[in-house]
């Protein structure tokens, strides 16, 4: 038989690569806006028709391209921004992969006009499905204009997947905000179907945020400003009353790049602890600057995820900067007790002494003291809990283990509180395959096994989702599932979160999902059940849901994956169930607020005999 392996033609390779870079019109908007900024433009116009499905056009007054460069720009791996791999650790630009324009041109009809200052004439270039159909000199002003028409015109399958105009426009607007917010020095405008949505003049950061978020925003912003050797933190946080039920106004930028970083977002959220009601989320617009070689932005094709050398110190500094800012501006009821596990490493600070937050405002004050404890959020600090929890009384005198985000927490190092507690001789048994009963020195503990396991899984999953450290069991034989296209879309929407829990999958066709890895705690046979529950939950939830997607996912997975009533447990399983339960932050209730155990004290038994 003759050899059968061939190299793919360029236009096919480009189309495949485009699948990674261009998911939706907003991806094109992001790439074009970033190119304009990289070209040093001081003015950038974004013009969009039909939520980007018909036209996306970006006009800049940046440095422009020569005739040859304009042609080269559409080759794959063609970039003027890096030359060697070392340059990756010293990036000044937003782009560097050199694949955006090649990808965009593979799946749309592109026209470019570009001129450099030193040239008399500019270049006009037209490309359709990776093929150049026209190239000629034109009269044009300095800068570049790119129009991208009929996105996915030659990939009907992907065009079909585009969402409603409303949703796609929302995504485009988000991308516009993310670039505009970090470049107030650039005048930027955005027009959709001939309606001007934004017209932002060159301004300061504060003016830019207000220009985007509306004039009422200004009075709600509190400046943040900290400088250390590891990181400079600037920007604004919203006063606690600016917090919202849904996430949304949370912007974190690192070296002028919008990033998603659950761990650092958690640092900000935790600085607000005790100031926000129930599940509301703080707003923030924070600009971090770190040395370029201490951050790796090369780990995600669409480049919103980054990795830092020293995340723990960043966490501590960020948290403390936000607390500091809150302390200076809102004062009344802030408790600045430092938690022991995150002493701020201010020894790395240049001028350490002047920067340590030293606000002490009545450490006993607890703004939510009267509120029911059932709606405390995941990151509720320990000082907020009333010390009258039944289980805390059981273990009074035992030192609290660190609770915030302790990665060792999940791996059995949780200092078996139960053992240490008081159980010299613990008798443990199962009742009706529903309750686990254990004797205590002071009485009897009755634990609902299903709810206990739900709580354990919920906290474990949420932790994985927050610090993104889920472990996956690789399947030797991937599971293929046939699902309706709209359900596949739900999974794709959640793909990032699912991966953090250990769920690895890809879509083969519109309605086939291939699962390659599972969360450790999940049995293979339960996969369809769990996915079904996740999809059902997402489809029924309204967008204004009070839980974050991560929280929702953790809850649904915990409920479906937990040990059920009716399952027999051996004594080892019961022991570890109790140990793990009491290593939880909130062992007394499930995520949906149901009671997990009751404690019958000797006294209460005694009274029954009267
Ligand atoms: P990257 O931005 O990763 O380098 P792109 O495919 O986005 O890759 O762009 C390829 C090259 O085309 C860039 O490196 C740049 O030299 C040039 N280019 C793209 N857009 C512009 C623009 N608006 N103005 C000037 N040059 C541009
Ligand atoms: Mg680019």
């Amino acid at each position: 038989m003759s050899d059968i392996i061939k190299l793919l033609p360029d236009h096919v390779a480009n189309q495949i690569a485009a699948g990674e870079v261009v998911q939706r019109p907003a991806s094109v908007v992001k790439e074009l806006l970033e190119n304009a900024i990289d070209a040093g433009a001081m003015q950038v116009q974004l013009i969009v028709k039909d939520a980007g499905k018909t036209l996306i056009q970006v006009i800049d007054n940046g440095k422009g391209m020569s005739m040859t460069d304009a042609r080269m720009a559409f080759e794959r791996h063609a970039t003027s921004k890096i030359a060697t791999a070392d340059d990756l650790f010293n990036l000044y630009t937003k782009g560097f992969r050199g694949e955006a324009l090649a990808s965009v041109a593979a799946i749309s009809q592109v026209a470019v006009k570009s001129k450099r200052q030193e040239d008399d004439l500019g270049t006009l270039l037209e490309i359709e499905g990776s093929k150049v159909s026209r190239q000629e000199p034109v009269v044009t002003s300095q800068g570049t204009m790119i129009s991208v028409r009929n996105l996915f015109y030659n990939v009907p399958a992907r065009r079909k997947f585009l969402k409603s105009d409303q949703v796609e426009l929302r995504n485009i607007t988000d991308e516009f905000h993310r670039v505009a917010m970090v470049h107030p020095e650039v005048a930027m405008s955005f027009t959709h179907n001939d309606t001007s949505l934004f017209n932002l003049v060159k301004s300061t950061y504060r003016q830019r945020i207000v220009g985007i978020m509306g004039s009422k925003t200004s009075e709600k912003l509190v400046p943040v400003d900290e400088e250390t050797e590891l990181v400079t933190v600037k920007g604004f946080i919203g006063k606690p009353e600016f917090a919202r039920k849904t996430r949304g106004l949370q912007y974190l930028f690192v070296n002028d790049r919008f990033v998603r970083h659950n761990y650092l977002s958690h640092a900000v959220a935790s600085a607000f602890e005790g100031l926000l009601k129930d599940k509301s989320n703080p707003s923030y617009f924070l600009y971090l600057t770190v040395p370029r070689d201490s951050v790796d932005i090369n780990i995600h094709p669409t480049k919103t995820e980054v990795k830092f050398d020293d995340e723990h110190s960043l966490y501590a500094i960020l948290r403390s900067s936000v607390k500091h800012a809150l302390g200076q501006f809102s004062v009344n009821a802030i408790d600045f007790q430092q938690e022991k596990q995150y002493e701020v490493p201010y020894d790395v600070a240049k001028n350490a002494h002047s920067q340590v937050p030293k606000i002490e405002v009545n450490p006993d004050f607890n703004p939510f003291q009267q509120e029911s404890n059932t709606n405390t959020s995941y990151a509720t600090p320990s000082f907020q809990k009333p010390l009258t929890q039944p289980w805390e009384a059981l273990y009074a005198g035992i030192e609290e283990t660190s609770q915030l985000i302790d990665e060792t927490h999940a791996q059995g190092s949780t200092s078996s509180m139960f053992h240490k507690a008081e159980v010299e001789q613990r008798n443990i048994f199962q009742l009706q395959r529903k309750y686990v009963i254990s004797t205590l020195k002071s009485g009897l503990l009755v634990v609902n096994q299903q709810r206990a396991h739900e709580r354990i899984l919920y906290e474990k999953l949420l932790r994985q989702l927050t610090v993104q450290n889920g472990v996956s069991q690789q399947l030797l034989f991937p599971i293929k599932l046939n699902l309706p296209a709209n359900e596949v879309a739900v999974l794709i929407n959640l793909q990032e979160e699912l991966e953090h829990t250990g769920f690895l999958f890809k879509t083969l066709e519109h309605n086939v999902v291939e699962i390659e890895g599972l969360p450790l705690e999940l049995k293979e046979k339960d996969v369809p059940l769990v996915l079904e529950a996740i999809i059902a939950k997402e489809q029924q939830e309204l967008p204004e849901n009070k839980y974050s997607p991560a929280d929702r996912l953790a809850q649904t997975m915990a409920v479906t994956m937990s040990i059920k009533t009716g399952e027999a447990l051996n004594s080892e399983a019961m022991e570890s169930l109790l140990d793990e339960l009491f290593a939880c932050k909130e062992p007394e209730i499930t995520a949906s607020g149901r009671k997990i155990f009751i404690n019958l004290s000797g006294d209460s038994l005694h009274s029954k005999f009267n």
Side-chain angles (χ1 to χ4, degrees):
M1 211 164 93
S2 61
D3 299 333
I4 53 172
I5 299 180
K6 293 190 209 69
L7 277 177
L8 289 173
D10 268 357
H11 69 276
V12 179
N14 283 341
Q15 226 181 64
I16 294 170
E20 286 230 338
V21 181
V22 184
Q23 277 110 25
R24 48 173 56 104
S27 331
V28 177
V29 168
K30 171 177 194 283
E31 295 297 337
L32 298 185
L33 289 179
E34 291 190 348
N35 279 347
I37 300 285
D38 281 349
M42 295 315 294
Q43 256 181 15
V44 179
Q45 282 172 266
L46 169 65
I47 297 162
V48 171
K49 294 232 156 79
D50 304 321
K53 295 172 185 171
T54 314
L55 172 75
I56 299 165
Q57 184 175 47
V58 170
I59 305 168
D60 70 55
N61 65 350
K63 66 180 178 211
M65 288 179 269
S66 70
M67 189 186 277
T68 321
D69 281 350
R71 180 70 196 78
M72 269 299 281
F74 290 89
E75 295 294 329
R76 205 141 53 99
H77 307 305
T79 179
S80 55
K81 299 171 192 173
I82 60 172
T84 70
D86 288 346
D87 296 344
L88 278 176
F89 301 98
N90 194 18
L91 282 171
Y92 289 88
T93 54
K94 299 192 185 297
F96 58 88
R97 290 167 177 264
E99 56 189 10
L101 291 185
S103 299
V104 170
I107 45 157
S108 65
Q109 295 152 343
V110 175
V112 186
K113 267 191 211 169
S114 192
K115 187 181 97 66
R116 302 182 299 178
Q117 191 180 20
E118 61 263 43
D119 298 330
D120 286 338
L121 285 178
T123 304
L124 167 74
L125 191 65
E126 288 180 5
I127 303 178
E128 191 169 327
S130 292
K131 293 201 178 60
V132 177
S133 53
R134 195 167 158 200
Q135 176 159 18
E136 59 197 42
V138 283
V139 177
T140 178
S141 49
Q142 187 197 325
T144 303
M145 183 231 47
I146 299 198
S147 329
V148 175
R149 285 177 209 277
N150 303 323
L151 191 65
F152 298 132
Y153 78 102
N154 53 354
V155 202
R158 306 214 48 188
R159 195 161 169 96
K160 232 174 29 205
F161 258 98
L162 292 178
K163 305 223 168 88
S164 66
D165 282 9
Q166 195 192 357
V167 172
E168 297 298 352
L169 184 63
R170 177 77 241 160
N171 287 322
I172 291 175
T173 311
D174 282 346
E175 292 298 348
F176 179 81
H177 287 172
R178 289 168 189 172
V179 176
M181 222 175 268
V182 83
H183 289 288
E185 78 282 5
V186 179
M188 291 183 67
S189 69
F190 176 13
T191 308
H192 181 244
N193 289 346
D194 301 323
T195 309
S196 164
L197 300 182
F198 293 94
N199 196 355
L200 305 167
V201 295
K202 174 178 182 307
S203 63
T204 62
Y205 282 101
R206 183 191 271 269
Q207 289 163 340
R208 180 54 60 98
I209 293 168
V210 171
I212 292 172
M213 295 299 162
S215 55
K216 292 229 175 73
T217 316
S218 189
E219 70 215 46
K220 298 175 184 151
L221 296 179
V222 174
V224 179
D225 197 348
E226 296 281 354
E227 214 166 301
T228 73
E229 252 171 41
L230 270 186
V231 59
T232 305
V233 185
K234 291 197 187 306
F236 302 89
I237 47 177
K239 290 180 185 163
E241 62 268 27
F242 194 29
R244 309 186 2 149
K245 283 278 181 206
T246 49
R247 234 162 256 270
L249 302 186
Q250 302 195 336
Y251 292 85
L252 192 61
F253 301 93
V254 173
N255 294 359
D256 287 353
R257 205 180 273 277
F258 173 83
V259 303
R260 272 180 237 280
H261 203 286
N262 287 353
Y263 185 58
L264 291 187
S265 311
H266 190 278
V268 181
S270 78
F272 275 85
E273 271 169 13
L275 294 173
L276 301 179
K277 283 197 183 162
D278 342 335
K279 303 268 179 192
S280 56
N281 295 295
S283 296
Y284 52 84
F285 312 88
L286 291 169
Y287 304 87
L288 275 55
T289 311
V290 299
R292 279 187 297 274
D293 60 359
S294 75
V295 56
D296 179 0
I297 53 167
N298 197 18
I299 56 175
H300 194 271
T302 48
K303 295 168 283 185
T304 51
E305 294 192 351
V306 293
K307 223 174 147 33
F308 299 98
D309 281 354
D310 188 355
E311 298 194 336
H312 291 293
S313 303
L314 280 184
Y315 184 103
I317 295 170
L318 187 55
R319 179 168 190 272
S320 146
S321 315
V322 173
K323 278 201 164 196
H324 191 183
L326 277 168
Q328 286 189 335
F329 286 84
S330 61
V331 190
N332 299 341
I334 307 168
D335 181 343
F336 275 95
Q337 251 177 340
Q338 296 271 336
E339 270 122 53
K340 23 183 186 320
Q341 72 270 35
Y342 276 113
E343 287 302 342
V344 184
Y346 262 94
D347 47 337
V348 299
K350 254 188 227 147
N351 33 7
H353 49 281
S354 63
Q355 309 226 349
V356 181
K358 274 208 211 74
I359 302 100
E360 294 266 352
V361 189
N362 181 11
D364 294 326
F365 185 86
N366 174 354
F368 304 119
Q369 202 123 43
Q370 293 93 320
E371 295 208 350
S372 124
N373 194 52
T374 53
N375 51 12
T376 46
S377 64
Y378 173 57
T380 308
S382 46
F383 67 79
Q384 235 185 286
K385 279 192 201 160
L387 261 173
T388 51
Q389 301 293 345
W391 66 274
E392 281 181 359
L394 288 178
Y395 306 118
I398 299 168
E399 217 189 311
E400 267 210 31
T401 45
S402 67
Q403 291 187 329
L404 195 58
I405 294 192
D406 181 351
E407 274 143 303
T408 58
H409 192 71
Q411 284 132 34
S413 67
T414 45
S415 72
S416 184
M417 289 173 82
F418 205 85
H419 286 296
K420 273 205 237 147
E422 57 160 326
V423 212
E424 291 93 70
Q425 280 172 335
R426 176 158 74 175
N427 290 312
I428 198 165
F429 60 94
Q430 200 181 15
L431 181 71
Q432 298 173 337
R433 295 196 170 175
K434 182 169 186 186
Y435 301 110
V436 173
I437 300 193
S438 166
T439 51
L440 298 168
K441 227 195 300 187
S442 56
L444 204 62
L445 186 70
V446 183
V447 178
N448 181 310
Q449 65 186 44
Q450 179 170 342
R451 294 183 188 179
H453 196 218
E454 234 180 71
R455 161 58 63 184
I456 294 165
L457 287 174
Y458 168 71
E459 291 201 8
K460 207 178 267 180
L461 288 161
L462 197 55
R463 196 159 42 234
Q464 290 173 352
L465 282 157
T466 315
V467 300
Q468 311 183 349
N469 69 347
V471 183
S472 181
Q473 41 168 331
Q474 298 285 321
L475 293 174
L476 206 50
F477 302 103
I479 308 174
K480 276 190 192 169
L481 289 179
N482 267 301
L483 296 170
N486 62 337
E487 301 197 6
V488 175
V490 172
L491 293 180
I492 293 174
N493 257 338
L494 278 176
Q495 187 150 18
E496 219 174 291
E497 280 92 345
L498 282 167
E499 275 174 13
H500 296 319
T501 70
F503 243 127
L504 305 181
F505 69 93
K506 58 184 183 212
T507 41
L508 294 183
E509 300 145 25
H510 311 313
N511 55 354
V512 183
V513 173
E514 186 175 71
I515 295 154
E516 300 162 317
L518 300 183
L520 282 186
E521 297 80 8
L522 182 58
K523 296 189 204 78
E524 224 178 297
K525 69 171 175 47
D526 291 335
V527 168
L529 207 69
V530 171
L531 288 182
E532 205 178 281
I534 291 169
I535 292 166
K537 180 80 168 206
E538 287 303 305
Q539 288 181 331
Q540 103 200 6
E541 297 298 357
L542 301 164
E544 285 288 308
N545 194 285
K546 64 176 177 162
Y547 297 111
S548 68
D551 205 335
R552 228 157 44 213
L553 191 60
Q555 282 196 33
T556 319
M557 287 176 73
V559 170
T560 29
M561 286 160 59
S562 60
I563 298 170
K564 299 292 178 299
T565 296
E567 262 181 68
L569 301 178
N570 62 25
S571 52
E572 214 182 62
M574 290 190 282
E575 294 240 13
S576 68
L577 188 76
L578 294 190
D579 278 348
E580 287 191 334
L581 176 65
F582 289 103
C584 283
K585 288 165 60 67
E586 292 185 69
E588 59 282 349
I589 46 160
T590 64
S592 54
R594 291 191 301 174
K595 193 182 267 187
I596 293 175
F597 62 83
I598 51 173
N599 173 26
L600 292 173
S601 68
D603 288 349
S604 72
L605 284 175
H606 183 71
S607 67
K608 294 216 186 316
F609 288 99
N610 282 336

